[in-house]
Amino acid sequence: MNNKYKVLLIEDEANIRNLVSAMLETHGYQIITAETCASGVILFDSHVPDLVVLDLGLPDGDGNRFIRYVRKSSAVPIIVLSARSGEKDKIASLDLGANDYITKPFGAGEFMARVRSALRNFRHSSQEGRLPGGKFILGDLVIDYDARRVCVSGNEIHFTQTEYNIVALLSEHSGKIMTYSSMIKAIWGDHEDEGSVKKLQVNMANIRKKLGAKPGESRFITNELGVGYRMEG
Ligand code: CA
């Protein structure tokens, strides 16, 4: 099995490095590994990988330095590996342009699903953008951007202006976690504070209800607790 995708893995812990390498190799990915931020940067420039898997706690500093460097010139998908305690670092890395994060410890199934999703969304956004005809389709959810209309199983959902803007924003970044702060900035042009997060959460609750999600269930949109929201994709 060889899918020819090249993955740069930057992780200083040998057991996680070996585990992740083995998972990716089994599925036909080519792996390049680095143990520090500095060597990651060098390998990134010389190998131009299709995907980066990045640990945030590296011996020569913060993995977010790597994201800052790479995002100056590249939109390559970046999946961050983070410790359970690293909530703030995780949000910072998403705001710097990481596409997704996965919390240690993680299973092979979950990890590979994130990898496939990151690669799929990247191909989508770099080559096609929105689907032809200005539509976004996810299962029985269809968003018609030109008409600003959302349908589920052929029935139109009546969103307020703000609710529609939120759904459209998430769909344009489907597969990627949008942090509270990036959403608040995009929708209202405001900075994140308690009031604006509350406002976003109220709108999201209405959106989820209108999309037919039962309490505690995610339908099309996942709530990443304390971090943000993600449209499946
Ligand atoms: Ca580490």
Side-chain angles (χ1 to χ4, degrees), residues 122-132 135-136 145 172:
F122 180 61
R123 286 201 309 274
H124 223 264
S125 59
S126 56
Q127 288 168 12
E128 298 163 44
R130 295 168 174 186
L131 290 174
K135 284 203 171 87
F136 172 87
Y145 294 116
E172 282 163 14

Side-chain angles (χ1 to χ4, degrees), residues 94-132:
L94 291 168
D95 280 335
L96 284 172
N99 297 65
D100 203 351
Y101 69 81
I102 188 159
T103 305
K104 300 175 190 175
F106 47 81
E110 188 191 1
F111 178 76
M112 291 312 303
R114 299 296 180 90
V115 165
R116 281 191 300 269
S117 163
L119 286 167
R120 188 169 58 233
N121 287 306
F122 180 61
R123 286 201 309 274
H124 223 264
S125 59
S126 56
Q127 288 168 12
E128 298 163 44
R130 295 168 174 186
L131 290 174

